[in-house]
Amino acid sequence: MPANLSRRTFLKIAAGGAGAAAAATVNTADAFSLSGEKPPPRLASDTVVPSTCAMCYWQCGIHAHVKNGRVTRIEGNPDDPLSRGRLCPRGVAGVGQLYDPDRLRTPLIRDSSGGNQFWREASWDEALDYAAERLDAVRKKYGPEAIALFTHGPGSSHFRRLLKAIGSPNAAASSFGQCRGPRDVGFELTFGMGPGSPENIDVANAECLVLLGSHLGENMHNTAVQEFSEFLGKGGNLIVVDPRFSIAASKARHWLPIRPGADMALLLAWIQVILNERLYDKDYVNSYCSGLDDLWRAVWQYTPDWAYAETGIEARLIHQTARELAKASPRTIVHPGRHVTWYGDDTQRSRAIAILNALLGSWGRKGGFYMRGRWRVPPYPVPKFPKPQKPRADGVGEDVPFGHEGLVNRMRDATRTGKPYPIKAWMVYATNLIHNTPGVKETREAIDKLDFMMAVDIMPSDITGYADLILPECTYLERYDDLRAGATDVDFIQLRQPVVAPLKGTRPGWQIAKDIALRLGLEKFFPWRNFPEYLDKRLRLAKLSLRDARKRGVFTRERGPRFFEDGAPVRFSTETGKIELFSLALLQRGFDPTPKYTRHPEPPLGKFRLIYGRSANHTFAWTQNNPLLLDHYPENVAWMNTGEARAKGLEDGEYVRLYNDDGVMSLPVKLKVTEGIRPDCVYMVHGFGQTNEKLGLAFGKGASDTALMNRYAVDPLCGATGMRVTFVRVEKAAAAAREV
Ligand SMILES: Nc1nc2c(c(=O)[nH]1)N[C@H]1C(S)=C(S)[C@@H](COP(=O)(O)OP(=O)(O)OC[C@H]3O[C@@H](n4cnc5c(=O)[nH]c(N)nc54)[C@H](O)[C@@H]3O)O[C@H]1N2
Ligand SMILES: Nc1nc2c(c(=O)[nH]1)N[C@H]1C(S)=C(S)[C@@H](COP(=O)(O)OP(=O)(O)OC[C@H]3O[C@@H](n4cnc5c(=O)[nH]c(N)nc54)[C@H](O)[C@@H]3O)O[C@H]1N2
Ligand code: SF4
Ligand SMILES: [Mo]
């Protein structure tokens, strides 16, 4: 760790997470002044290289300070519309990942000679030959579709290209079926468009914001947190629906500690009140929406009195908050959420959220949802990819009627069962399937069925432990990735470029994918000599240049009007061309055309629902070995309600284990006894409980939520995995250990 990034500074930045969302996103210079220390002097020999953060998927523009070939600190690029010159604690801690001594630094081949399995270091040439040879064997024996890609994040495009060149349709990322899939589908069915990333919400100008679960301030998507702070600074009315007293709840005018799983009841009751009391935006609804009468027929019975019994939220409060939503409309946002794979009826819950926003007239309106544009960067011209001869193995578009992105869980299950056809090789790029997909037993069974699995990662993670071949990628600070075009209040194109030379032995993803393609005879799909050539070609086609991009890191362009009132085109790409309060598409496929309430099973006496979320200091399961972040948030804790803990004789700070209904026991985890959670659930930060011993700092810290998720509820509309259906009992760690 560079000496000038003192740990105290980090404490200071991250500690803001609990107090003020704004303080959690100060830039490093502010952080130093906050902590009373002097910022490190900017020596003349400091070089500042603009690039893009990849400590999470938000992708903020950065300025990396480099001295003598080492990165000394990372700040936000003030010209970047996502960072606006500020980074979250994880972005600042990119150096901790770059200089992590446990990083993968050479290709490794699983060697089973002599009866024992062990990792053998290999040269890149040998490793790439091996990858190509094994992939080719599967391709010849079973057809190209037998090769699947699991991937996530900014480097994915290189391996998606490789998979397409091979001729397989089977790519999947956890960002759909374990994250935002149901939200995107629910909004598409209603407005003809999903909320996208960054979400098309104008939070800074909103007057009322409703967060269902979305725990901004712990969920540290940078721009979202900055706008949230602006909203709070202006005295916006924040309503937080969460069974746990989250950081956002601590800022709210109303905290509604809902019974987990009952959000649909609350949403339907809000819709009922808004229709019943004619509080909806009549002009807007008359002009743009279809199906109002059908909606009313479906929801009239969902009164606040009825919802009280389901949600535990008093009818009076449901009435009052419904009126507050309407009063601020159209500057009211019922947040679409992001990780929404909760209970299996998540697409319908997202539909209810979309419908509520439509009634409030907030879609396409200032202080509500803006209309997105796109700055098109033409692709690098390559020959047409071969057409796969088989349909997708995960059934997307067929058995899964409304999903339109690959599903990790179903691709995994196709591998496990050999149905609809055998999948025999996995390429796993930057995704830790052991931590991000429920049903770990099934994941292991699927891996057992493979002829070959390769993992491209930066760390010896839990998933790399299962591979036949590990290929060490260099980190985002050491490589180029493809361009990212996006939009906020401006259109932008961002560049990721190397800030320092790659750690010896590691290589960028673009090169790994190209070198494998070359060995498989697929070089015509990778016709560039190197990635700068690729990037420059694309940028030139967009009338820009790599030379400029390298200097600035980001290009921005003014947007046309974003709101209907400013002249943004009113367009809804639904079947009827209207906002569909009643969905014909759903009706035609035999689903409820308007959202309905189903009660989810509750944990039996003595058990708790397992819920989970984020720490401001960690990204999923990949930052737990980063000294800068771990120092501040060293292990996850299990939150339990004070009364429950007392009844069970459990004390704050002691170690417990969680047991699920299938006899799986968690690693020991520290108990946090608090009034800030309902008695029917326990809460944990996701991503801990790593079992790879090569992770010197992360190994043995905290427990994994995923390891307990044998069960999950599949959303019939989009195939996503609802992950809040696990019940656990909680026992003292020592006592639990005796039982086993
Ligand atoms: N620091 C950090 N920030 C991140 C990430 C990260 O890894 N680290 N990941 C990013 C990504 S990809 C995503 S998708 C987002 C996810 O972040 P969000 O979309 O905000 O996540 P959720 O899982 O929806 O919300 C978790 C909250 O839901 C509450 N909750 C649990 N059950 C229920 C329920 O039944 N009803 C209601 N109303 N609330 C419930 C939990 O108590 C918790 O406070 O975070 C993003 N931001
Ligand atoms: N139980 C449970 N499951 C969840 C969630 C949860 O809250 N609880 N959250 C869900 C959500 S919202 C999402 S979006 C997904 C996220 O799931 P993923 O995005 O797959 O996140 P991780 O599981 O941390 O796996 C990321 C892997 O990428 C590696 N990596 C990081 N940077 C690089 C890089 O630059 N190059 C390469 N090659 N590898 C890199 C890390 O070392 C790690 O092994 O998980 C979902 N699954
Ligand atoms: S939100 Fe934080 S970790 Fe994510 S890209 Fe931005 S600075 Fe990096
Ligand atoms: Mo996510």
Side-chain angles (χ1 to χ4, degrees):
M1 175 172 64
N4 56 10
L5 265 169
S6 87
R7 292 182 172 191
R8 250 184 71 221
T9 306
F10 270 89
L11 273 171
K12 206 70 189 176
I13 299 168
T25 53
V26 290
N27 68 30
T28 36
D30 289 349
F32 279 95
S33 60
L34 270 180
S35 62
E37 289 170 57
K38 281 210 175 79
R42 288 188 196 190
L43 300 176
S45 58
D46 253 16
T47 322
V48 177
V49 187
S51 189
T52 313
C53 182
M55 291 297 288
C56 86
Y57 305 121
W58 197 252
Q59 304 207 57
C60 299
I62 55 170
H63 276 169
H65 290 251
V66 184
K67 206 178 144 201
N68 302 329
R70 280 181 76 85
V71 179
T72 52
R73 66 200 153 95
I74 307 172
E75 294 178 348
N77 176 351
D79 298 330
D80 178 73
L82 294 185
S83 77
R84 303 163 174 184
R86 300 156 146 209
L87 299 180
C88 86
R90 300 165 298 152
V92 180
V95 265
Q97 176 175 282
L98 177 64
Y99 298 121
D100 190 326
D102 295 333
R103 271 179 63 182
L104 294 168
R105 40 184 72 226
T106 180
L108 297 168
I109 294 178
R110 181 187 295 269
D111 196 325
S112 322
S113 55
N116 281 338
Q117 297 202 358
F118 58 95
W119 291 112
R120 177 168 65 73
E121 291 191 359
S123 71
W124 272 99
D125 269 344
E126 185 192 0
L128 294 165
D129 286 347
Y130 182 63
E133 182 195 308
R134 300 290 299 267
L135 291 170
D136 193 39
V138 168
R139 176 170 70 164
K140 291 213 172 92
K141 189 161 174 199
Y142 301 97
E145 300 84 0
I147 300 174
L149 169 68
F150 295 89
T151 181
H152 197 182
S156 297
S157 62
H158 317 301
F159 289 87
R160 285 185 183 269
R161 179 182 296 278
L162 175 60
L163 191 79
K164 279 194 204 156
I166 290 173
S168 168
N170 291 324
S174 57
S175 46
F176 190 81
Q178 286 66 46
C179 177
R180 62 181 162 69
R183 167 196 92 166
D184 291 4
V185 174
F187 271 62
E188 282 155 14
L189 285 166
T190 315
F191 297 113
M193 183 179 127
S197 179
E199 285 80 9
N200 62 333
I201 44 181
D202 188 22
V203 173
N205 290 309
E207 287 173 12
C208 178
L209 175 65
V210 181
L211 300 178
L212 295 123
S214 304
H215 54 331
L216 289 173
E218 287 153 296
N219 161 352
M220 285 303 291
H221 276 167
N222 188 349
T223 333
V225 178
Q226 292 189 33
E227 288 178 354
F228 183 46
S229 313
E230 282 175 50
F231 167 84
L232 293 172
K234 287 188 199 161
N237 180 4
L238 175 66
I239 299 172
V240 172
V241 184
D242 197 311
R244 181 183 66 99
F245 191 62
S246 61
I247 286 172
S250 73
K251 310 276 165 215
R253 196 169 296 171
H254 301 286
W255 169 42
L256 311 181
I258 195 163
R259 186 170 68 79
D263 293 67
M264 183 73 112
L266 175 64
L267 290 162
L268 291 169
W270 272 339
I271 292 174
Q272 201 272 359
V273 174
I274 285 168
L275 290 179
N276 193 34
E277 300 187 2
R278 303 196 184 284
L279 301 174
Y280 59 95
D281 187 332
K282 287 161 212 79
D283 289 345
Y284 183 97
V285 170
N286 288 340
S287 309
Y288 303 141
C289 300
S290 69
L292 184 66
D293 294 341
D294 296 300
L295 178 66
W296 174 244
R297 272 195 290 279
V299 302
W300 66 266
Q301 79 272 30
Y302 296 125
T303 61
D305 283 325
W306 164 83
Y308 167 61
E310 298 301 320
T311 59
I313 300 165
E314 281 176 38
R316 179 194 54 80
L317 202 52
I318 298 179
H319 264 292
Q320 183 186 338
T321 44
R323 287 175 194 143
E324 288 179 19
L325 299 190
K327 186 156 174 257
S329 75
R331 291 182 187 245
T332 296
I333 299 172
V334 186
H335 197 293
R338 187 156 177 133
H339 171 75
V340 294
T341 49
W342 297 356
Y343 298 102
D345 58 350
D346 306 303
T347 305
Q348 290 284 15
R349 186 184 66 251
S350 298
R351 272 270 295 156
I353 292 173
I355 288 170
L356 191 53
N357 282 302
L359 296 176
L360 295 166
S362 63
W363 185 264
R365 306 283 283 281
K366 199 170 170 87
F369 292 75
Y370 59 80
M371 304 309 285
R372 257 200 317 275
R374 199 157 81 97
W375 194 347
R376 221 181 85 76
V377 191
Y380 192 109
V382 290
K384 243 179 128 176
F385 292 109
K387 197 171 165 350
Q389 299 302 304
K390 295 177 187 157
R392 296 185 57 93
D394 58 7
V396 167
E398 303 215 347
D399 335 350
V400 183
F402 294 100
H404 45 63
E405 290 182 34
L407 288 166
V408 171
N409 45 306
R410 289 184 58 112
M411 199 69 80
R412 183 257 329 260
D413 291 338
T415 310
R416 189 170 59 87
T417 59
K419 290 191 180 115
Y421 53 83
I423 300 275
K424 287 291 179 186
W426 281 9
M427 299 193 286
V428 179
Y429 174 83
T431 187
N432 193 340
L433 303 175
I434 301 298
H435 282 269
N436 66 29
T437 307
V440 178
K441 192 166 144 272
E442 282 87 346
T443 305
R444 292 204 182 101
E445 283 169 13
I447 292 171
D448 277 346
K449 295 278 166 69
L450 294 173
D451 286 0
F452 176 62
M453 171 177 160
M454 68 178 226
V456 186
D457 210 298
I458 53 172
M459 299 299 296
S461 67
D462 281 344
I463 189 66
T464 61
Y466 290 92
D468 300 303
L469 172 67
I470 302 176
L471 297 173
E473 189 175 30
C474 53
T475 69
Y476 70 99
L477 291 166
E478 305 161 299
R479 67 174 195 243
Y480 286 102
D481 272 326
D482 210 342
L483 301 164
R484 192 262 183 111
T488 50
D489 50 341
V490 293
D491 292 334
F492 60 83
I493 297 172
Q494 295 166 308
L495 173 74
R496 175 167 301 118
Q497 64 174 326
V499 166
V500 287
L503 177 72
K504 199 159 165 278
T506 66
R507 288 189 181 176
W510 69 262
Q511 193 181 355
I512 301 172
K514 180 176 155 67
D515 285 346
I516 294 176
L518 193 78
R519 286 164 167 80
L520 289 171
L522 302 169
E523 60 272 24
K524 68 176 176 189
F525 300 106
F526 293 78
W528 41 90
R529 256 177 307 128
N530 52 40
F531 218 59
E533 182 191 315
Y534 167 97
L535 293 168
D536 195 45
K537 174 90 176 186
R538 283 196 74 193
L539 285 165
R540 281 183 190 283
L541 290 170
K543 305 208 162 24
L544 302 163
S545 79
L546 180 61
R547 213 186 127 111
D548 276 357
R550 291 177 67 166
K551 278 193 226 141
R552 309 157 51 140
V554 61
F555 297 103
T556 53
R557 179 176 85 171
E558 287 299 309
R559 295 274 317 270
R562 294 193 298 155
F563 302 106
F564 296 162
E565 59 263 47
D566 297 337
V570 180
R571 199 178 303 130
F572 308 107
S573 309
T574 53
E575 294 215 352
T576 55
K578 296 245 177 186
I579 300 174
E580 296 198 352
L581 307 179
F582 176 93
S583 166
L584 275 180
L586 285 176
L587 184 69
Q588 282 157 5
R589 296 285 197 130
F591 295 103
D592 291 332
T594 45
K596 284 205 172 64
Y597 182 65
T598 13
R599 184 175 246 246
H600 298 297
E602 280 186 70
L605 210 64
K607 293 195 179 162
F608 304 85
R609 185 185 297 278
L610 176 64
I611 60 172
Y612 52 84
R614 311 273 171 253
S615 147
N617 294 278
H618 287 283
T619 301
F620 305 115
W622 97 61
T623 55
Q624 287 73 16
N625 211 59
N626 184 322
L628 302 176
L629 295 171
L630 204 65
D631 207 35
H632 181 68
Y633 192 90
E635 61 187 310
N636 62 351
V637 294
W639 293 40
M640 183 188 270
N641 178 271
T642 313
E644 294 294 319
R646 200 174 293 138
K648 294 183 72 57
L650 295 171
E651 278 174 34
D652 187 57
E654 75 172 310
Y655 280 86
V656 295
R657 290 189 196 251
L658 278 48
Y659 288 76
N660 73 10
D661 283 340
D662 302 302
V664 175
M665 174 182 78
S666 78
L667 291 169
V669 58
K670 210 189 255 185
L671 194 69
K672 169 175 164 143
V673 175
T674 167
E675 293 292 342
I677 188 162
R678 286 173 54 101
D680 49 7
C681 44
V682 291
Y683 172 86
M684 268 167 36
V685 164
H686 166 67
F688 283 80
Q690 311 259 346
T691 57
N692 195 323
E693 289 178 33
K694 294 258 187 303
L695 293 169
L697 295 178
F699 178 72
K701 303 269 167 65
S704 160
D705 54 343
T706 324
L708 293 161
M709 292 175 188
N710 290 61
R711 303 176 189 198
Y712 53 92
V714 175
D715 188 314
L717 276 72
C718 72
T721 53
M723 289 143 74
R724 292 191 179 151
V725 297
T726 296
F727 300 146
V728 292
R729 69 189 160 84
V730 181
E731 307 284 347
K732 281 182 198 291
R738 270 200 304 277
E739 278 171 36
V740 182

